[in-house]
Amino acid sequence: MLRQGNLWPETDASVDQEKAMKEPLSRKVAIPSGKLSPYRMMVVARFLLLLLFFQYRIFHPVPDAVGLWFISVTCEIWLALSWMIDQIPKWYPIDRETYLDRLSIRFEQENKPNMLSPIDIIVTTVDPIKEPPLVTANTVLSILALDYPADKISCYVSDDGASMLTFEALQETAEFSRKWVPFCKKFSIEPRAPEKYFSEKIDFLKDKLQSTYVKERRTMKREYEEFKVRINALVAKSMRVPPEGWTMKDETPWPGNNPKDHPSMIQVLLPHIVGNELPCLVYTSREKRPAFQHHGKAGAINALLRVSAVLSNAPFVLNLDCNHYVNNCKVVREAMCFFMDIQLGNGIGFVQFPLRFDSLDRHDRYANKNTVLFDINLRCLDGIQGPAYVGSACIFRRKSLTGSDSPVSSKRPSMVQVHSKQDENGEEASITAATDEEKELLKSQMNDENKFGNSNPIMNPSLTEEGGIDPSSSQEVLLKEAIHVMGSKYEDRTLWGYEVGLSYGSIAADTLTSLKMHCHGWRSVYCMPKRDPFRGTAPINLTDRLNQVLRWAVGSLQILFSHHCPLLYGLSGGRLKGLQRIAYINSTVYPFSSIPLLIYCIIPAICLLTDKFITPSVGTFASLVFTALFISIFASAILELRWSGVSLEEWWRSQQFWVIGSVSANLFAVVQSIMGALPLGRVNTNFSTVSKVPDDVEFRELYTIRWTALLIPPTTIIIINLIGIVAGFTDSINSGEHSWGALLGKLFFSLWVIVHLYPFLKGLMGRQNRTPTLIVIWSVLLASIFSLVWVRVDPFVLKTKGPDVKQCGISC
């Protein structure tokens, strides 16, 4: 059993503190060879079977269907290559183990100052309608109640919608936290998001020894219900916008009445006070002007990075979406076991945690859990150079966001001794000449102002390991500086978004940022504590889910077609490992698999409609190869599930949605990227925020269908295959018994396509089995066009074999 996240420090007097001071705070744990070795052997066997399969497919064409054979083989080769690119980085999966007791012994010694590093926590929100204030409030409350020294936590909330509703809700949250945080720490409760805590159906008396717990819990629950009433009242009030705009309590106009044109706003809701057990809480809204590009979420996070550098400048930064609350109050300590490790900590750029989700349907119809990503792919990358940043639930070393190289990978500058021929005293004088590396370092130091902007608190202290601000600076001066660094003009003529902070240039700013950091030599770590570190909400509506996948695919292609393309980026002087590069290539080219997959989903129907097949009649050896390959596909998947712990149902849902997402969202992303590259004009790539509203009616959103063109391709594929099945059966009935053997092979592949698209079909029908008329019309129209390929099939005329009447006439 792993000792991941030992929750309580050891208090036994036998603990050797001197030994604990020297021992590592974490270690790698290898996957047992009994689980990993069979998986690797099966992957190799699958690869060899693929070679045999293609040897047969390529050298045995179908004479009467050469076009169909060629297209199918081309698609199979592409899909095989995409599998190989996806499989290669999975060769070295690992687990990790942390020792929280050693962390406490080393940095929280009795009668000495607490030496744990400070941390700034960044929460981003945009739309209070799609991201309800109560959800954001629960996230903030779970942060304020972290099991970490309160004076070392600063929480910054970015309101990119400049909503007075969000501001007033955070004011209420700050007041309620004065009661909630002490209650959490007194009774050591989990989770520390009140909505989740009070809704859990568990024995809350378990392990609670204090006699006052029941009474105080009842009181706190009543306080929280009153808090919810106040929040809901604010939401109801926000629905009636006054003609003159909102005004604050002092009757002054709300500066953010125009969310697209307003000045910077900042308010310290909970300041750091000596002896106070509450962390600092700050509300911010960066300046917005119509003439400037604001770069969405990445721009908001970069603005908060500057604000936090001015006000607190902690050496570590946690990034959270407003709907991802802290589910494990010791999550920061888990990360510090990596960052503060004397041996390996300096080279770690960020620690990524897995995300888990609430409010999903029991069968997770649209694979919202993403367990293949979080429990397989990221664990495999952790064995190479580390996982990619996934946009939330990630703790950064602030220095790694400044565009600097990792200190572990940086080469030490060498000093060259050069002797002059003659000096004033006639003696050889030793002078030191700078190498090219030193010149580059000096140049970078001289250009700090161009790199970070003209704000000294960012330019200097953010580069130190300890962080911190100048104690002589007054609060008024710091707030004025914070407003300045949030300005729309601040990033002009700087490297913010290019070398500093989160990267611009792609919707997938998270992937691009981690790519650059790994190229600079930084490592990342994947930390999976026993108790889920973060939980949140995910879109369970089919349309929202497809739009989410579309956004990811478009962002990946933007990286692929930019100068940051992982095929070439960082080759000269970069420190990106080969397997890590392959993983990034896979994360950017995967949308192109939608084209061969779309074709392959239509081919079974074409075979049924034209009475042809993609392979000739196979012999015994070829049959064995086909069967063995089919078995190896399932065997390798099952063995992968065995070492990863992912359930078979979760893997199958992931496979189904891979097909659904590929033939819809990924396909549209490819078309959109191609259209954008043509001189026909740019395609709009602005995406709206996905709704994160928790439904009162269970899974109501699951059955809601909203019109989008993304629904047309999968619906068309289903209709075409259904037409093909009917046509195949009809033709076989009219052709005689000898046709049934060939029909069964074609039916198998057609039904295989429909089974993969079944969750989509079920979601399309909705609770009342209703589908938007526009989707049906378009799908039937496209299916009818494709069905015109059925030129040979005429099921109402019996086919007979014999001499051609046109050649011999009546005398036949």
Side-chain angles (χ1 to χ4, degrees):
M1 180 67 68
L2 297 183
R3 296 178 59 199
Q4 174 85 32
N6 299 297
L7 296 182
W8 300 105
E10 296 179 11
T11 56
D12 196 327
S14 63
V15 173
D16 188 350
Q17 294 195 6
E18 291 185 3
K19 184 179 178 182
M21 294 289 285
K22 298 178 181 178
E23 289 180 333
L25 300 177
S26 65
R27 73 180 182 95
K28 293 181 181 179
V29 179
I31 304 293
S33 59
K35 294 182 178 180
L36 195 58
S37 296
Y39 165 71
R40 288 173 172 171
M41 293 172 61
M42 186 52 64
V43 170
V44 173
R46 183 175 171 181
F47 174 73
L48 296 176
L49 288 169
L50 272 174
L51 294 179
L52 292 174
F53 171 79
F54 283 117
Q55 187 272 338
Y56 177 84
R57 291 285 283 128
I58 293 173
F59 293 104
H60 292 79
V62 183
D64 59 341
V66 175
L68 200 62
W69 165 81
F70 178 78
I71 292 173
S72 64
V73 170
T74 304
C75 293
E76 289 163 2
I77 292 174
W78 177 272
L79 293 174
L81 288 174
S82 67
W83 171 78
M84 289 177 57
I85 294 174
D86 179 66
Q87 197 64 52
I88 290 172
K90 292 183 178 180
W91 204 249
Y92 302 104
I94 62 169
D95 285 323
R96 291 188 183 268
E97 190 175 88
T98 56
Y99 302 98
L100 302 186
D101 50 350
R102 297 176 186 175
L103 182 74
S104 294
I105 291 171
R106 189 174 300 178
F107 297 103
E108 295 181 295
Q109 300 181 25
E110 293 184 7
N111 304 320
K112 290 185 179 181
N114 192 303
M115 299 302 294
L116 289 174
S117 291
I119 184 169
D120 292 335
I121 302 177
I122 291 174
V123 180
T124 55
T125 182
V126 180
D127 188 348
I129 304 302
K130 294 183 178 180
E131 301 168 334
L134 190 61
V135 173
T136 304
N138 271 268
T139 298
V140 171
L141 288 169
S142 68
I143 292 170
L144 299 179
L146 279 167
D147 182 10
Y148 205 73
D151 61 327
K152 295 181 180 290
I153 300 175
S154 298
C155 179
Y156 298 85
V157 180
S158 169
D159 177 18
D160 227 28
S163 169
M164 196 171 81
L165 170 59
T166 303
F167 174 71
E168 291 181 336
L170 282 176
Q171 286 183 315
E172 292 287 349
T173 303
E175 288 301 316
F176 178 70
S177 68
R178 301 180 189 277
K179 304 172 184 177
W180 174 250
V181 173
F183 171 77
C184 293
K185 294 187 175 181
K186 180 178 180 180
F187 298 106
S188 302
I189 67 167
E190 289 276 21
R192 299 190 175 182
E195 184 69 26
K196 183 64 176 176
Y197 172 70
F198 289 121
S199 64
E200 280 190 334
K201 298 178 181 179
I202 59 173
D203 181 12
F204 58 85
L205 295 178
K206 186 179 180 180
D207 299 330
K208 297 297 185 293
L209 303 179
Q210 296 93 328
S211 58
T212 60
Y213 172 68
V214 175
K215 181 180 178 181
E216 292 194 34
R217 184 185 187 278
R218 189 180 299 118
T219 303
M220 185 53 60
K221 187 173 183 180
R222 185 172 61 251
E223 292 280 357
Y224 179 64
E225 293 298 330
E226 293 174 357
F227 167 73
K228 288 172 65 176
V229 169
R230 294 194 294 272
I231 296 294
N232 291 333
L234 292 174
V235 174
K237 186 185 74 172
S238 69
M239 299 299 176
R240 302 182 295 273
V241 182
E244 66 279 3
W246 296 108
T247 57
M248 295 185 287
K249 293 179 180 179
D250 59 358
E251 302 301 327
T252 58
W254 172 248
N257 276 322
N258 185 348
K260 296 182 179 180
D261 188 3
H262 64 84
S264 300
M265 294 182 282
I266 187 168
Q267 178 69 45
V268 179
L269 301 175
L270 290 174
H272 271 312
I273 301 175
V274 178
N276 187 6
E277 61 179 357
L278 290 175
C280 178
L281 176 61
V282 181
Y283 167 88
T284 67
S285 183
R286 57 179 173 149
E287 182 184 19
K288 292 283 189 71
R289 300 300 178 195
F292 291 88
Q293 175 63 261
H294 298 101
H295 303 289
K297 177 183 174 181
I301 292 177
N302 283 344
L304 275 191
L305 285 173
R306 297 192 293 271
V307 171
S308 62
V310 171
L311 297 182
S312 51
N313 198 30
F316 303 103
V317 180
L318 167 60
N319 161 228
L320 275 180
D321 287 347
C322 66
N323 62 316
H324 295 153
Y325 65 87
V326 180
N327 190 62
N328 183 344
C329 66
K330 296 183 181 293
V331 65
V332 176
R333 293 177 180 270
E334 296 277 357
M336 292 305 166
C337 285
F338 300 104
F339 284 124
M340 302 185 73
D341 191 283
I342 299 174
Q343 298 177 354
L344 302 174
N346 287 338
I348 296 175
F350 63 89
V351 176
Q352 178 66 57
F353 293 92
L355 281 169
R356 308 302 181 190
F357 301 100
D358 300 323
S359 304
L360 298 180
D361 58 301
R362 185 164 60 91
H363 298 292
D364 190 23
R365 181 186 296 174
Y366 305 127
N368 284 286
K369 292 181 180 178
N370 284 319
T371 48
V372 172
L373 169 67
F374 289 119
D375 291 5
I376 298 179
N377 295 349
L378 295 185
R379 287 169 69 185
C380 294
L381 290 177
D382 200 17
I384 308 173
Q385 200 171 346
Y389 167 44
V390 299
S392 183
C394 183
I395 299 182
F396 290 97
R397 183 185 298 276
R398 189 183 289 270
K399 184 178 180 181
S400 68
L401 292 168
T402 61
S404 59
D405 289 338
S406 165
V408 174
S409 60
S410 298
K411 294 181 180 179
R412 192 169 184 174
S414 58
M415 307 299 288
V416 181
Q417 298 293 326
V418 180
H419 301 278
S420 62
K421 293 182 178 180
Q422 184 178 5
D423 62 0
E424 293 180 355
N425 298 325
E427 298 177 355
E428 291 182 349
S430 176
I431 63 172
T432 303
T435 63
D436 291 340
E437 291 183 357
E438 287 179 303
K439 292 178 181 178
E440 288 295 324
L441 180 62
L442 181 62
K443 182 180 178 181
S444 66
Q445 291 174 347
M446 294 175 63
N447 292 333
D448 269 348
E449 185 170 342
N450 292 332
K451 184 176 183 180
F452 299 105
N454 56 0
S455 177
N456 290 329
I458 297 175
M459 191 166 59
N460 296 321
S462 65
L463 297 178
T464 66
E465 287 297 322
E466 295 79 12
I469 59 175
D470 186 357
S472 63
S473 300
S474 66
Q475 185 77 358
E476 183 180 353
V477 172
L478 292 178
L479 289 176
K480 187 178 295 185
E481 185 65 29
I483 291 174
H484 168 63
V485 300
M486 281 193 291
S488 298
K489 298 179 181 179
Y490 185 83
E491 293 185 352
D492 287 356
R493 299 181 182 179
T494 70
L495 294 181
W496 277 98
Y498 301 96
E499 286 188 20
V500 184
L502 265 64
S503 298
Y504 303 152
S506 170
I507 298 171
D510 45 7
T511 302
L512 182 55
T513 300
S514 56
L515 169 63
K516 289 183 176 181
M517 292 173 68
H518 284 139
C519 284
H520 280 289
W522 293 99
R523 276 193 53 83
S524 57
V525 167
Y526 193 53
C527 182
M528 296 181 66
K530 288 181 180 179
R531 181 178 177 84
D532 294 339
F534 301 97
R535 297 190 70 89
T537 57
I540 63 173
N541 172 265
L542 176 60
T543 305
D544 287 344
R545 180 73 167 114
L546 290 177
N547 279 319
Q548 184 184 57
V549 175
L550 174 63
R551 184 169 61 249
W552 294 341
V554 169
S556 296
L557 292 175
Q558 286 175 339
I559 297 174
L560 180 66
F561 294 127
S562 70
H563 66 279
H564 296 116
C565 175
L567 284 166
L568 302 173
Y569 183 72
L571 280 177
S572 58
R575 299 178 176 88
L576 191 66
K577 294 184 178 180
L579 291 179
Q580 193 81 13
R581 183 179 298 278
I582 293 174
Y584 277 114
I585 292 172
N586 180 53
S587 69
T588 55
V589 302
Y590 76 89
F592 283 105
S593 295
S594 60
I595 297 175
L597 191 60
L598 173 70
I599 296 172
Y600 221 75
C601 287
I602 296 175
I603 282 177
I606 295 177
C607 291
L608 287 166
L609 292 169
T610 59
D611 196 23
K612 299 182 185 299
F613 201 49
I614 57 176
T615 62
S617 57
V618 296
T620 304
F621 178 74
S623 298
L624 290 175
V625 171
F626 286 9
T627 304
L629 179 60
F630 197 74
I631 293 173
S632 71
I633 292 173
F634 281 97
S636 61
I638 291 172
L639 291 172
E640 185 177 66
L641 303 182
R642 183 167 172 256
W643 69 254
S644 65
V646 175
S647 69
L648 183 61
E649 182 183 16
E650 290 172 334
W651 173 83
W652 174 238
R653 290 300 185 200
S654 177
Q655 292 299 306
Q656 286 180 310
F657 198 79
W658 172 69
V659 175
I660 295 169
S662 293
V663 299
S664 57
N666 292 353
L667 179 66
F668 271 69
V670 172
V671 173
Q672 186 167 306
S673 298
I674 294 174
M675 294 292 291
L678 295 175
L680 302 176
R682 286 186 170 271
V683 180
N684 183 18
T685 56
N686 293 323
F687 294 93
S688 61
T689 306
V690 174
S691 177
K692 299 160 187 173
V693 183
D695 289 308
D696 296 330
V697 180
E698 187 177 20
F699 309 138
R700 179 178 59 191
E701 277 287 300
L702 184 66
Y703 302 99
T704 303
I705 297 296
R706 303 186 184 96
W707 158 250
T708 174
L710 298 175
L711 302 176
I712 294 176
T715 309
T716 304
I717 291 172
I718 292 173
I719 294 175
I720 290 174
N721 278 276
L722 290 175
I723 293 174
I725 291 172
V726 173
F729 267 110
T730 307
D731 190 41
S732 294
I733 291 172
N734 286 276
S735 299
E737 295 182 358
H738 66 278
S739 301
W740 289 102
L743 175 66
L744 290 177
K746 301 171 186 177
L747 284 178
F748 174 79
F749 289 105
S750 194
L751 290 173
W752 190 249
V753 172
I754 295 175
V755 167
H756 274 83
L757 294 175
Y758 175 72
F760 173 85
L761 180 62
K762 193 173 180 180
L764 194 67
M765 302 307 293
R767 190 191 293 269
Q768 290 80 25
N769 293 334
R770 294 177 180 174
T771 304
T773 307
L774 193 57
I775 296 175
V776 175
I777 294 174
W778 273 102
S779 300
V780 171
L781 178 63
L782 291 176
S784 301
I785 294 173
F786 279 112
S787 298
L788 292 177
V789 300
W790 187 14
V791 292
R792 288 186 67 253
V793 177
D794 191 355
F796 303 103
V797 177
L798 182 64
K799 289 182 169 60
T800 57
K801 293 185 178 179
D804 192 348
V805 179
K806 293 182 179 178
Q807 292 182 359
C808 56
I810 301 176
S811 60
C812 289

